Amino acid sequence: MKKISFLVLTAALVIGLTGCGAKDSSAGGTKYKFATDAAYAPMEYMDKDKMTGFDVDFLAEVMKEAGLSYELTNTGWDTMLTSVKQGKEYQGGISSVSITDERKQSYDYSIPYFESTNMILVKEGSPIKSATDLKDKKVAVQISTTADTLMSKIMGDKNPSLKRLDNNTLALMELENNGVDAVVADIAIVREYVKNNPNKKLVAIPDPKNFESEYYGILLPKGSELKAKLDPAIKKVIENGAYAKVYKKWFGQEPDTKKLLEQK
C-alpha cells in the first residue's frame, strides 16, 4: 500500500509541474521548459510560493490545447532573455514580452496574444501630463523593456536621470521613496499597482500619442520548431472562449479578440 501511495503522489506532482492537461514526458512526449520573470503583477508574479497571473493561466490553456508537456520557471528577466536566445535550457519565454523589430533579429515569436501600451505613473499633484513632460525629470523603468527604449528616445540614452532597474518593483519603490518623478511601465502593471494601493495617491497617465499599442508574444529561439505547435493552439484558445475567460479573470472585462486575431 505504501508503494502504491508513493506512485500516486509522484504522479500528482508530475502533473502539477507539467501543467493541467499536458502530457507527461515519461509517456514519450517532450517536456518543454519555459522561463519567466514573475515580478510583473498581474501578468506573472509570485503569490507566496505559487506562481500565478494572466500569462501563467494563458500558457496553461495553450499547452493543454497543443497537447504538450511543459514546466514554467521563474528565472528573472535578463536570464530569461539570454537563456531563451541560446535555446538550450529553455525552449521559450513568457513574461509580457513585447514583439519588436529589434528583438526579432535575435528571437522568433509566437503569434501575438495580448495588446498593451506603456503608461506613466506619478504621485498626485505632479505637473507631468504626458511623455514629453518627462524629458527633464527623473524616471524609472525596467531595463531592456519597451519602456526603456521609449524613454531612451525621449530623454536620451545616456541621460543619468533615466534610472534603469532590474524590475518594476524596484522602479515603483523609487517613486514611493521620491527617488524619481515618474515610472513608465506596461498599462496592466500600472493599473494593478494603482488599484492595489489606493492610499498612496497615485495617478496613472495614458499617452497614446507617444506610446503606441504593442503586442506580446511567446519568446522563442531563432528557428524554433515549437512555433508551429504554439501558433495554431494560441489561435484556437483565442477563438474558443478560453482566452476571454482568463482575460476576464484578471482584468474584469472582455478582450478585443477581433483586433488581436488581425495581428500577424
Side-chain angles (χ1 to χ4, degrees):
M1 288 298 292
K2 287 183 179 179
K3 184 176 181 181
I4 293 173
S5 298
F6 176 78
L7 290 173
V8 171
L9 177 59
T10 302
L13 288 171
V14 170
I15 291 170
L17 288 170
T18 58
C20 294
K23 294 187 300 182
D24 182 359
S25 60
S26 64
T30 299
K31 181 190 286 186
Y32 294 96
K33 296 182 69 176
F34 289 82
T36 191
D37 176 21
Y40 224 60
M43 299 303 290
E44 50 273 315
Y45 64 101
M46 299 302 297
D47 183 4
K48 297 179 181 178
D49 60 346
K50 181 185 177 183
M51 203 182 310
T52 190
F54 174 87
D55 279 348
V56 177
D57 288 351
F58 169 73
L59 182 62
E61 291 291 342
V62 170
M63 298 304 276
K64 180 170 68 175
E65 178 63 37
L68 299 175
S69 176
Y70 78 102
E71 64 180 29
L72 182 62
T73 302
N74 181 20
T75 64
W77 181 255
D78 288 338
T79 300
M80 178 193 69
L81 293 177
T82 301
S83 59
V84 172
K85 184 177 181 179
Q86 293 170 343
K88 295 178 181 179
E89 184 176 2
Y90 294 98
Q91 291 77 55
I94 183 166
S95 193
S96 310
V97 186
S98 298
I99 300 171
T100 67
D101 290 337
E102 182 180 1
R103 286 179 183 152
K104 282 181 179 179
Q105 296 175 23
S106 302
Y107 304 91
D108 281 346
Y109 280 95
S110 70
I111 59 172
Y113 71 86
F114 191 90
E115 181 185 7
S116 182
T117 186
N118 278 282
M119 209 171 195
I120 304 163
L121 183 66
V122 298
K123 292 186 175 182
E124 279 188 6
S126 170
I128 295 167
K129 303 299 178 186
S130 71
T132 53
D133 294 333
L134 298 172
K135 190 171 183 179
D136 299 316
K137 303 295 184 181
K138 291 181 179 179
V139 181
V141 297
Q142 180 175 346
I143 193 169
S144 300
T145 61
T146 52
D148 184 356
T149 302
L150 288 166
M151 294 315 303
S152 293
K153 291 177 181 177
I154 291 171
M155 298 177 66
D157 186 53
K158 304 297 183 182
N159 193 327
S161 294
L162 179 57
K163 294 191 176 183
R164 299 177 174 92
L165 303 169
D166 287 341
N167 55 61
N168 280 307
T169 301
L170 294 175
L172 293 165
M173 287 175 62
E174 277 292 295
L175 179 62
E176 284 185 35
N177 297 327
N178 298 313
V180 294
D181 302 299
V183 169
V184 176
D186 285 349
I187 188 171
I189 283 76
V190 172
R191 284 180 171 173
E192 182 76 0
Y193 193 73
V194 171
K195 182 182 76 174
N196 292 336
N197 296 277
N199 297 327
K200 292 184 179 179
K201 297 183 178 179
L202 301 169
V203 179
I205 305 171
D207 188 351
K209 182 178 178 181
N210 292 292
F211 298 156
E212 296 180 352
S213 287
E214 54 192 57
Y215 292 86
Y216 298 161
I218 297 176
L219 196 67
L220 302 166
K222 273 290 186 182
S224 172
E225 52 86 22
L226 192 53
K227 178 174 172 60
K229 300 176 180 179
L230 293 180
D231 283 356
I234 292 171
K235 188 172 184 292
K236 188 66 178 292
V237 165
I238 294 173
E239 290 176 336
N240 67 14
Y243 180 87
K245 185 177 179 180
V246 173
Y247 195 98
K248 286 169 70 175
K249 171 185 173 180
W250 289 102
F251 304 108
Q253 61 188 51
E254 290 279 352
D256 185 352
T257 56
K258 183 175 183 290
K259 187 175 180 181
L260 193 57
L261 288 167
E262 289 173 353
Q263 305 303 311
K264 303 295 183 183

